[in-house]
Amino acid sequence: MKQSWKFPVVALACAFVPAAVVTTTAHASPWGCNISAIFDQSGGPTNPIPWLNGTDGNLPELQGRTSAVEYITGALSPNQTVERFNVLGTDLGIMWDNGAGQVLTVFGDTVGLSSNPACGVVGDWRSNVLFRSSDGNLSDGMSIDSSPVDGPNRSREIIDSLKVTGVETSSIPTSGVEVGGVQYVNYMSVRSWGGSGEWVTNFSQIASSRDNGETWQVEPTSARPNLPLTGNANFQMGSFVKDGGYVYNFGTPSGRFGEARLSRVKEASIVDVAAYEYWDGKSWVPNNSDVATPVLDGDVSELSVQYNNYLGKFVAMYSNEWGALVLRTADQLTGPWSAPDVVIEPGAVPGLYGAYMHPWSQGQDLYFLATTWSDYNVMLMKATL
């Protein structure tokens, strides 16, 4: 499970940071040497390289129907993400079909090799980066075509953050979708990190790109402030699904200890938060997030939902309260959802989190991306349905 020692814990009440403060200018990361200082004060490993890339270079070995296929990022990846994009360590890997023959993948907090000798080996913090892939044969891994860059061999941060602890520490993508040739990413503005699996957000919000992820604009009309006693607090993280002219958005609170609720909006109105409807357990209620009731119970962590042609059902994948990676199915997005089917047992892959399904998975093979904290890199995995 992703740890929280990256930043000092600041015990502040959640406050809304206006969307206007998050810009999308393409400039070098301002973190410099700060990341080394954060590592040092964490109590974590003094040498960050084993922390980022493991100690033996091996993928996890699993029994049964799930296997690890290939590292997608890091020094051990055939994609050479360090040399090509200065991505030495990253996490998550939210995927969606861009509608034009590629899968776009956005990652969370990303580090690379430092260009400043005073920083040591690791630096160049970015809150998020994006890769593109047209690889349709996933049995031997997922090759990366390109990434938005802002210099030679450096993936740029696509959605900026203030990088001020206790104000806005980072901006982390949680879901992506294509509508009418436009790419949309839902992200959370992280105010501060707390205990393991806990963090506080300022708001969730959508950013859009009309040039296949090269440049991004925030959409202020989509902002959901994380204010106490409001339904928006249940939609700080999400998972987009297109179906029948609507974009459905499964929402969970910030952190890893909340149930999933459901909203939807006509595709053309995806960035208008006032146009959303909310499932109250019986019907759709317009513009009232307070009424949304859980459709996936238990602790739903880093949720991914999509339709699966082989099963003929919608599939939800996430980590639960015991640290197991589970899969659930339903005929309709509103449910009822099946009982959790364990894909990876708790502890079978220590420190595993995130399970983001590849939209081009075919037949019985369900491919997904996951991260381990010990490696802090993303790997392609496969589960047999």
Side-chain angles (χ1 to χ4, degrees), residues 143-214:
S143 61
I144 302 304
D145 299 336
S146 61
S147 174
V149 298
D150 59 4
N153 307 98
R154 181 184 185 273
S155 293
R156 71 165 174 265
E157 184 177 88
I158 62 166
I159 303 171
D160 286 358
S161 63
L162 294 180
K163 300 180 177 61
V164 177
T165 301
V167 179
E168 185 182 57
T169 296
S170 197
S171 51
I172 307 297
T174 66
S175 188
V177 69
E178 174 271 333
V179 176
V182 180
Q183 313 303 322
Y184 296 95
V185 163
N186 192 81
Y187 71 96
M188 57 180 173
S189 166
V190 178
R191 182 179 180 87
S192 59
W193 302 104
S196 181
E198 297 177 346
W199 55 87
V200 178
T201 55
N202 296 302
F203 56 85
S204 64
Q205 185 168 242
I206 292 173
S208 63
S209 173
R210 287 164 173 77
D211 54 10
N212 197 32
E214 195 66 26

Side-chain angles (χ1 to χ4, degrees), residues 204 206 219-225 232 235 249 263-265 269-278 286-289:
S204 64
I206 292 173
E219 301 286 353
T221 57
S222 69
R224 296 179 182 273
N232 282 336
F235 289 87
N249 180 33
S263 64
R264 72 175 186 181
V265 67
S269 301
I270 186 173
V271 298
D272 181 6
V273 71
Y276 280 72
E277 301 175 318
Y278 300 86
N287 195 24
N288 186 359
S289 57

Side-chain angles (χ1 to χ4, degrees), residues 292-307:
T293 59
V295 292
L296 289 165
D297 58 344
D299 290 340
V300 178
S301 173
E302 286 136 339
L303 173 66
S304 173
V305 183
Q306 65 183 34
Y307 186 77

Side-chain angles (χ1 to χ4, degrees), residues 72-73 90-98 102-108 110 128-134 138 142-148 155-156 158 173 175-177 183 185 212-213 216 356-359 368-370 378-380:
I72 301 301
T73 65
T90 191
D91 71 347
L92 304 181
I94 291 100
M95 295 180 284
W96 72 98
D97 189 318
N98 74 344
Q102 286 183 317
V103 168
L104 303 188
T105 308
V106 286
F107 302 88
T110 300
N128 44 73
V129 296
L130 180 148
F131 288 169
R132 307 180 185 96
S133 175
S134 56
L138 301 175
M142 184 176 81
S143 61
I144 302 304
D145 299 336
S146 61
S147 174
S155 293
R156 71 165 174 265
I158 62 166
S175 188
V177 69
Q183 313 303 322
V185 163
N212 197 32
W216 293 81
Y356 297 99
M357 291 180 282
H358 195 292
F368 60 95
L369 296 184
V378 178
M379 69 186 110
L380 180 69

